Amino acid sequence: MSDHLTADGSATQGADRAAPTAAGTVRLTVGQALVRFLAAQYAERDGVRERFIPGTFGIFGHGNVAGLGQALLQNAVSPTEGEDEMPYYQARNEQNMVHTAVAYARTKNRMQTFACTASIGPGSTNMVTGAALATVDRIPVLLLPSDIFATRTVDPVLQQLEDETGGDISVNDAFRPVSRYFDRISRPEQLIPAALQAMRVLTDPAETGAVTLSLPQDVQAEVFDWPLEFFRERTWHVARPVPEPAALERAVEVIRSASRPVLIAGGGAIYSEASEALAAFTDATGIPVLDTQAGKGALSADHPLCIGGVGSTGNNAANELAAEADVIIGVGTRYTDFTTASHTAFRNPEARFVNLNVKAFDAAKHSATMVVTDARAGLAALAAALDGWTAPAEHGERARQRRGDWEELVKPCFQPHDQELPAQTEIFGALNELMGEEDIVINAAGSMPGDLQALWKARSPIQYHLEYGYSCMGYELPASLGAKMARPQSEVVAIIGDGTFQMAPQEIATIVAERMKVILVVLQNHGWSSIGSLSESHGSQRFGTKYRMRNEATGLLDGEKLPFDIPANIRSYGIEVEEVSSTVDFREAYRRAEQRTEATAIVVNTDLYGPNPPGNGWWDVPVAAVSTLESTQQARIQYEKALEPQRHYL
């Protein structure tokens, strides 16, 4: 972006534009200035440069309609001279629009994201869950919640939280613990350093997450003479930190001592676009690769040493290798409790860790030998330093054998069972065959991520899009919109449980309005399958996990099924819906959905009770220590036994 300057340095603009004031300044509101600033921000890595904030999602109310809302309107119909376009996208739910932005950023490997604006009070606090998800998952998103009057002339304004301990407290302070950077803009000139800090954090791979600029509604509309320098094009260069030589040397020493090493690929391996480097490293060293939910696909499932998911919902082959490993190389992983099976996965008492991570906080986990580095740069450097060294041949052979055994063991998961309705694993198997390697499958919380991590064969880094860091129900549907906006050439399939669908169906309207072709696969089993199974295994008898009418005789929710018609609900948004009750019919419905040019939905009636794939991982969910229920008493005995291998990795 460039401004046309006169000889004295002032900007030339039409009479209906924002007028220049002093040399090199322009008079704009805070909202107008922020929109103009964001439209001029770029990110670059490896010579690829793109606009970092290509658009803004928003829902307007009295907090932002006359501030940022007016600025976005003006940008669309009467921008200041030299101002770049900032497209506006209308959302239906504030949490959903953050999920959409996160999915877009993740699909773009964190090199682009969206801004999200909401009105004060509930509109803004609805974004807090999305902020937490972004920060937990290390995904950039810019949040612009509106705030109460900075002048406090109107006090309390509609939807204001009054706090008798301080006048500067608002509900937006809830964003502080879930944001990587937070600032409240109480005066116009504060926007300049805050906006620059926001961009610094958003484009820093080690620090990124939710960034929140809290904007009082009166300040959004306040005018200021802005230096034109604030609006020049800026390119934020996303670094690839290389390993410190001494750290690399220490890591090499540990790895060379290994006889049963494994490598765990996390999300950082994908965001840094390290797939080729990972494959080259694996080929050179013969080290088997296990993956996390975020890292699945970093190494193609077609690679003979890609063993698959590790941890609580990992597959038996990967968990057996993890249990005996003497060196664990973590690449871009946070080591969540599901990855470590609540600190029971790595059972070798002599196990040592080498962690390659762009963030020192994660590189230090499990008392590891730390290598603070970009995943791609780190793997390349490590491969060069290990030149000539390979893991014992029998170790690789054992890994391939276990993978083969696992694939034989789970074949029945994809085949019809002796039950009226298909298991969800049958649908997953069909989808895995039907979808192309550059298509995208999206899922989040519940039983489905566990089945998918164990069973899905991701053939590219883009194909497997699971949100399991925050495990947020309601993510899938808005995420399908974000992923499709990021990769319009890909078929995007959101797998949604009927529980998740009831929490957040609103963005179907946005998908329709934006003419985005996504495929929604809704699995209907009339209950919360994951929590039901967890409840049963922990002695709580699936209490409160089925969708049933209140039974007047028992007083419990164990009556007839709720008469909720999901296909009719989806059709009310104006999209095509098919309802099926077999895997064969699902395959045919999916092929028809592929051929359509508009969004479509397939509702699949599935069995609530599975079956699910076998597993040898564990998850620490404490069971009541005392109970009058025999089911809970027995579950407690099993829980205490399962605790025995749990340990700190020191």
Side-chain angles (χ1 to χ4, degrees):
M1 181 193 71
S2 61
D3 289 275
H4 299 286
L5 302 181
T6 63
D8 65 358
S10 60
T12 59
Q13 297 166 331
D16 59 341
R17 310 291 189 180
T21 53
T25 64
V26 61
R27 176 161 289 189
L28 299 170
T29 68
V30 169
Q32 294 161 4
L34 181 55
V35 168
R36 183 167 176 173
F37 170 84
L38 292 176
Q41 306 305 301
Y42 288 76
E44 177 275 332
R45 183 172 67 181
D46 301 332
V48 178
R49 179 178 178 269
E50 294 182 284
R51 237 242 336 249
F52 189 71
I53 307 284
T56 298
F57 278 96
I59 298 178
F60 299 127
H62 68 281
N64 63 348
V65 67
L68 276 173
Q70 186 280 336
L72 289 164
L73 168 66
Q74 179 172 302
N75 174 271
V77 302
S78 183
T80 56
E81 187 171 344
E83 179 179 356
D84 291 333
E85 182 185 12
M86 175 58 73
Y88 163 71
Y89 298 89
Q90 182 187 68
R92 271 68 185 176
N93 174 276
E94 293 88 356
Q95 177 178 319
N96 286 354
M97 69 185 179
V98 182
H99 292 336
T100 301
V102 166
Y104 181 93
R106 175 172 173 171
T107 305
K108 288 288 189 176
N109 287 331
R110 306 192 299 192
M111 294 301 294
Q112 289 182 290
T113 191
F114 276 81
C116 298
T117 175
S119 187
I120 76 167
S124 287
T125 55
N126 278 350
M127 296 197 296
V128 171
T129 294
L133 180 147
T135 296
V136 167
D137 289 350
R138 317 287 205 262
I139 305 294
V141 64
L142 177 60
L143 306 181
L144 306 173
S146 301
D147 214 330
I148 59 179
F149 278 70
T151 61
R152 303 186 195 168
T153 303
V154 182
D155 188 28
V157 69
L158 176 65
Q159 299 176 326
Q160 178 177 342
L161 170 72
E162 293 184 272
D163 192 312
E164 63 273 20
T165 66
D168 62 343
I169 297 172
S170 82
V171 293
N172 284 4
D173 287 285
F175 284 96
R176 291 183 184 273
V178 294
S179 298
R180 294 297 300 154
Y181 179 81
F182 176 95
D183 204 348
R184 179 176 279 116
I185 311 303
S186 300
R187 292 176 57 88
E189 57 266 41
Q190 293 174 350
L191 179 65
I192 295 174
L196 294 169
Q197 286 292 340
M199 285 301 304
R200 176 190 65 80
V201 174
L202 287 167
T203 57
D204 185 333
E207 295 301 318
T208 197
V211 167
T212 302
L213 298 182
S214 184
L215 302 168
Q217 60 174 307
D218 53 341
V219 175
Q220 289 184 43
E222 191 172 343
V223 72
F224 184 71
D225 296 331
W226 303 89
L228 287 172
E229 171 67 12
F230 181 50
F231 303 115
R232 70 170 172 84
E233 275 191 9
R234 284 179 173 81
T235 300
W236 301 83
H237 300 281
V238 179
R240 288 195 182 277
V242 297
E244 178 194 11
L248 187 64
E249 185 178 336
R250 291 190 292 268
V252 167
E253 181 181 0
V254 174
I255 295 170
R256 285 183 179 276
S257 72
S259 59
R260 294 182 301 279
V262 296
L263 185 149
I264 298 178
I270 290 180
Y271 306 144
S272 66
E273 300 172 352
S275 290
E276 289 186 10
L278 177 57
F281 179 85
T282 305
D283 290 340
T285 63
I287 297 177
V289 174
L290 324 179
D291 48 51
T292 70
Q293 288 281 16
K296 185 174 288 293
L299 183 66
S300 171
D302 294 334
H303 194 287
L305 283 177
C306 178
I307 310 303
V310 66
S312 298
T313 53
N315 69 56
N316 290 3
N319 283 338
E320 287 166 6
L321 290 171
E324 65 186 24
D326 55 355
V327 170
I328 298 96
I329 307 168
V331 180
T333 178
R334 301 189 294 119
Y335 288 109
T336 68
D337 70 328
F338 262 63
T339 298
T340 69
S342 298
H343 283 219
T344 64
F346 310 111
R347 301 192 179 193
N348 186 333
E350 305 300 322
R352 292 186 290 172
F353 292 79
V354 173
N355 292 339
L356 280 64
N357 204 294
V358 73
K359 192 176 183 67
F361 176 80
D362 292 321
K365 288 178 177 175
H366 304 325
S367 300
T369 296
M370 299 169 56
V371 185
V372 178
T373 179
D374 167 79
R376 192 172 88 180
L379 282 167
L382 198 58
L386 286 167
D387 186 32
W389 179 89
T390 61
E394 59 271 19
H395 178 56
E397 181 57 37
R398 188 164 55 247
R400 288 186 286 269
Q401 180 63 50
R402 285 175 172 169
R403 168 178 151 158
D405 292 345
W406 167 255
E407 290 175 349
E408 285 296 318
L409 180 65
V410 297
K411 280 183 178 178
C413 291
F414 307 125
Q415 299 166 355
H417 296 81
D418 185 20
Q419 54 195 23
E420 181 180 356
L421 295 174
Q424 64 187 27
T425 54
E426 297 176 47
I427 304 303
F428 298 157
L431 264 179
N432 209 170
E433 292 177 14
L434 292 166
M435 292 179 66
E437 66 179 44
E438 294 298 314
D439 294 338
I440 302 172
V441 63
I442 297 177
N443 190 242
S447 64
M448 290 189 274
D451 289 356
L452 287 165
Q453 191 195 12
L455 300 175
W456 192 272
K457 293 184 177 180
R459 299 184 297 279
S460 76
I462 196 68
Q463 190 186 56
Y464 188 82
H465 185 127
L466 265 282
E467 194 294 297
Y468 214 58
Y470 206 51
S471 186
C472 187
M473 292 184 72
Y475 174 83
E476 299 94 327
L477 199 154
S480 70
L481 171 61
K484 187 66 175 182
M485 292 173 73
R487 282 185 65 90
Q489 71 271 32
S490 294
E491 203 73 78
V492 176
V493 180
I495 306 176
I496 306 167
D498 50 358
T500 286
F501 177 82
Q502 293 177 70
M503 288 188 174
Q506 303 94 328
E507 254 38 63
I508 296 177
T510 308
I511 289 169
V512 171
E514 297 296 341
R515 305 182 186 278
M516 290 291 168
K517 192 282 177 84
V518 300
I519 300 174
L520 309 177
V521 177
V522 182
L523 303 188
Q524 180 168 254
N525 55 26
H526 305 282
W528 288 315
S529 176
S530 174
I531 298 304
S533 177
L534 183 68
S535 171
E536 184 174 45
S537 66
H538 285 60
S540 294
Q541 305 173 17
R542 292 184 179 260
F543 177 71
T545 64
K546 300 176 184 178
Y547 305 146
R548 298 291 188 270
M549 300 287 287
R550 179 75 64 185
N551 188 329
E552 294 182 359
T554 65
L556 301 175
L557 293 169
D558 61 0
E560 64 271 22
K561 291 179 180 177
L562 285 173
F564 180 47
D565 192 335
I566 290 180
N569 187 281
I570 298 174
R571 287 190 186 99
S572 71
Y573 287 96
I575 70 172
E576 188 76 23
V577 183
E578 292 195 48
E579 184 174 8
V580 300
S581 298
S582 74
T583 305
V584 171
D585 289 344
F586 171 75
R587 287 177 178 271
E588 295 174 354
Y590 183 82
R591 286 306 188 197
R592 288 190 291 271
E594 276 187 317
Q595 298 306 310
R596 297 189 179 103
T597 58
E598 298 178 341
T600 187
I602 306 170
V603 178
V604 188
N605 296 304
T606 59
D607 195 290
L608 178 64
Y609 301 102
N612 302 104
N616 57 5
W618 182 69
W619 186 32
D620 191 346
V621 178
V623 178
V626 295
S627 175
T628 60
L629 300 174
E630 183 180 353
S631 60
T632 305
Q633 294 168 5
Q634 292 301 314
R636 179 68 190 190
I637 293 172
Q638 295 300 314
Y639 173 71
E640 290 177 354
K641 183 178 180 180
L643 282 172
E644 292 174 2
Q646 191 177 51
R647 66 187 180 90
H648 293 290
Y649 300 117
L650 297 175

